[in-house]
Amino acid sequence: MSLVTKTIPVAISARHIHVCEEDLQALFGPDATLTKDFDLSQPGQYAAKERISIEGPKGAIHNVRILGPVRPATQVEISQTDAVKLGLNPPLRQSGDIENSASIKISNGDKSITIKQGAIIAQAHIHMTEQDAQEFNVENNEVVTVEVESKRPITLRGVVVRVSKDFSLEMHIDTDEANAGFIEQQAKGTIIKTMK
């Protein structure tokens, strides 16, 4: 077992939604556009000022932020704790993999839609460039184990490596994973990998 000692910044991803153009207009009216609030770490991605509510059989969560830009399909990313509150059973998936995922109601005041699929719990993953992948000796979609430094050090297994020239090096975990390990924003993670 060998350790690659270069660390990866860790970001905690709270519940959020990505919307398609059709659903954006259904929720905010014809010709609606997203209003940038601030840029996110991944190039071209941003947090929008627009927020919505999500609802399941057992409850609702309000003030959920939309992330831009618009996507081909609407996707709601929540934690397992959120899922219990809502009464949903979403699958653990990579972002964008929404086939046969959970249905959820989305509303903005008196406007609402129900998507038949799109609610998921996002699998922990690492964004990196091709150069990063060479340095870490990993490949796109490889599944690795990551040790995260914190007051309660934690090892996360099943972390997916996602490689693209458009990415910036960062690991994304959800609030449940962060709370379990006392992890704060911009903690540092180290990939543990058996070298071939």
Side-chain angles (χ1 to χ4, degrees), residues 52-149:
I52 48 80
S53 297
I54 52 177
E55 185 177 342
K58 291 185 177 180
I61 298 174
H62 306 289
N63 207 32
V64 179
R65 189 184 287 275
I66 297 176
L67 302 187
V70 294
R71 289 195 177 186
T74 294
Q75 173 178 296
V76 179
E77 296 184 34
I78 59 176
S79 68
Q80 177 62 20
T81 298
D82 293 336
V84 171
K85 179 176 181 178
L86 295 169
L88 297 177
N89 186 30
L92 180 68
R93 296 276 183 83
Q94 288 194 53
S95 179
D97 182 7
I98 61 171
E99 188 71 25
N100 297 317
S101 57
S103 174
I104 193 168
K105 182 179 179 180
I106 306 166
S107 61
N108 173 40
D110 60 354
K111 297 181 176 69
S112 66
I113 60 172
T114 299
I115 56 173
K116 294 182 179 180
Q117 60 182 20
I120 65 168
I121 297 171
Q123 188 168 358
H125 56 279
I126 305 169
H127 293 281
M128 63 173 66
T129 65
E130 289 97 337
Q131 181 177 344
D132 292 324
Q134 290 179 358
E135 292 180 9
F136 284 105
N137 190 30
V138 293
E139 299 176 352
N140 188 44
N141 289 322
E142 184 172 347
V143 179
V144 298
T145 297
V146 178
E147 283 188 350
V148 182
E149 303 168 14

Side-chain angles (χ1 to χ4, degrees), residues 5-13 41 125-127 136 146-156 169-174 177-191:
T5 55
K6 180 181 176 182
T7 60
I8 299 165
V10 179
I12 303 162
S13 183
S41 61
H125 56 279
I126 305 169
H127 293 281
F136 284 105
V146 178
E147 283 188 350
V148 182
E149 303 168 14
S150 69
K151 294 178 183 177
R152 180 192 285 169
I154 190 170
T155 300
L156 295 170
L169 182 63
E170 191 171 62
M171 176 175 169
H172 289 179
I173 60 174
D174 70 18
E177 291 161 326
N179 289 340
F182 288 22
I183 298 168
E184 298 179 352
Q185 292 284 15
Q186 296 306 301
K188 300 297 182 184
T190 304
I191 293 177

